[in-house]
Amino acid sequence: MTWKATVLTLFPDMFPGPLGLSLAGKALVEGVWSLEATDLRDFAKNKHRSVDDTPAGGGAGMVMRVDIAAAAIDAAKAAAPAGSTAIYLSPRGTPLTQERVQALANGPGVILLCGRFEGLDQRVLDARDIEEVSIGDYVLSGGDLAAQVLIDACVRLLPGVLGNDGTLTEESFASGLLEYPHYTRPRDFEGHTIPDVLISGDHEKIAKWRREQAEAFTKSRRPDLWAKRGKA
Ligand code: ADE
C-alpha cells in the first residue's frame, strides 16, 4: 500500500517543495508514497476564512481555533489510510528520533498538523489522539518545514526508495553511532591524504578502522548517544 502523508497547513503551496525533488520526488512520482496538502482555511467558518483568535487570558499573538483544527483533523482521518498517526509539529513536542521515524515509516502514513501563530488551542490535542513532535531545540516560524523534515526522514526508509539498503544499516543512528568518515579520489588534496588503511585492500582492517572512527566521533560529539549505547 502507498504510504500517505496528509498535511494540514495554512501554506499548502509550500508542498511538495523540496519533497518534489531528488529521492523523495522520484518516489512520489513512482507512487511509493502520496501527499495531500490541505488548506486549514478550507475549514474556516467566516467569510474572512480566519482560523485563529486572541488567546484566552490575554497576551501576545493569536491561537489556532479548536473547532477548525478538529474539523480538519477529523476530515483528514476519514480520508487517510486506517491507522495513520496524527502529529502536531511543535517545539514543545517529544524530540523526533530515527527510531520513531522508522516506526512511522513502517505504518500506513501520517497526518501532520502544522501550526503558525503562537500556538494551537490545547483542547484539540486533548480531544483528539494527536502526538506532539519536535524536530529539535530551536524555534521555526511554523510547523511546515518541520513536517517536511519528518516526511523526508520517513520516505527515504520506504522499501525501494534508496537503491542500496546497506546504506541504511551503516548510516548514523541506525547503529547508535555516528557515521565514520568517507573519502574518494584524489588521494592527495592539498596535503590531506586518504588514510592508508582504506587503500590497503584489507577488508577486516577497514571495518575495524571504520568502527573505531565511528566510536571516536560519537564519544567526542555526542556523549549523550555514547552513554546510551547498549542500554536500550
Ligand atoms: N514548529 C516550530 N518550531 C518547531 C520545531 N522545532 N519542531 C517542530 N515544529 C516546530
Side-chain angles (χ1 to χ4, degrees):
M1 199 179 57
T2 302
W3 191 86
K4 183 173 178 185
T6 306
V7 183
L8 305 171
T9 170
L10 289 164
F11 298 95
D13 290 349
M14 281 199 189
F15 294 85
L19 298 169
L21 304 169
S22 190
L23 277 180
K26 187 164 163 273
L28 184 58
V29 169
E30 286 169 354
V32 177
W33 68 291
S34 71
L35 173 68
E36 191 177 329
T38 300
D39 193 339
L40 280 161
R41 293 193 193 281
D42 292 350
F43 298 89
K45 293 173 167 69
N46 60 16
K47 72 171 192 299
H48 303 293
R49 308 223 304 151
S50 56
V51 297
D52 57 334
D53 214 326
T54 52
M62 298 293 272
V63 177
M64 195 182 295
R65 289 175 57 112
V66 56
D67 49 352
I68 291 167
I73 284 282
D74 292 346
K77 277 189 179 166
S84 293
T85 304
I87 291 172
Y88 173 56
L89 283 312
S90 136
R92 201 184 64 180
T94 306
L96 187 62
T97 61
Q98 188 63 24
E99 205 180 354
R100 187 71 192 117
V101 165
Q102 182 69 66
L104 292 171
N106 290 346
V110 290
I111 297 166
L112 304 176
L113 178 59
C114 304
R116 291 262 154 180
F117 317 118
E118 292 309 298
L120 174 68
D121 189 310
Q122 178 64 32
R123 292 170 293 175
V124 189
L125 303 172
D126 299 340
R128 300 291 184 269
D129 191 18
I130 302 176
E131 186 177 321
E132 222 173 328
V133 169
S134 163
I135 64 155
D137 289 342
Y138 42 80
V139 181
L140 303 168
S141 48
D144 303 271
L145 282 176
Q148 293 185 359
V149 166
L150 186 151
I151 294 170
D152 180 83
C154 289
V155 164
R156 61 189 291 285
L157 299 181
L158 299 176
V161 174
L162 284 186
N164 175 6
D165 280 351
T167 51
L168 283 179
T169 47
E170 277 179 28
E171 71 185 5
S172 291
F173 305 116
S175 60
L177 291 175
L178 299 182
E179 228 180 333
Y180 55 78
H182 301 279
Y183 300 86
T184 186
R185 278 183 281 267
R187 198 159 160 178
D188 185 324
F189 174 69
E190 297 178 356
H192 298 264
T193 53
I194 296 178
D196 288 340
V197 61
L198 296 181
I199 28 198
S200 68
D202 184 333
H203 295 293
E204 233 170 78
K205 260 198 199 154
I206 292 171
K208 180 169 174 280
W209 181 86
R210 285 178 167 164
R211 177 96 198 159
E212 287 165 359
Q213 290 287 313
E215 290 179 358
F217 272 104
T218 310
K219 258 190 217 173
S220 68
R221 294 183 180 180
R222 294 294 304 274
D224 57 319
L225 280 184
W226 183 253
K228 262 199 289 196
R229 273 183 76 246
K231 289 187 189 153

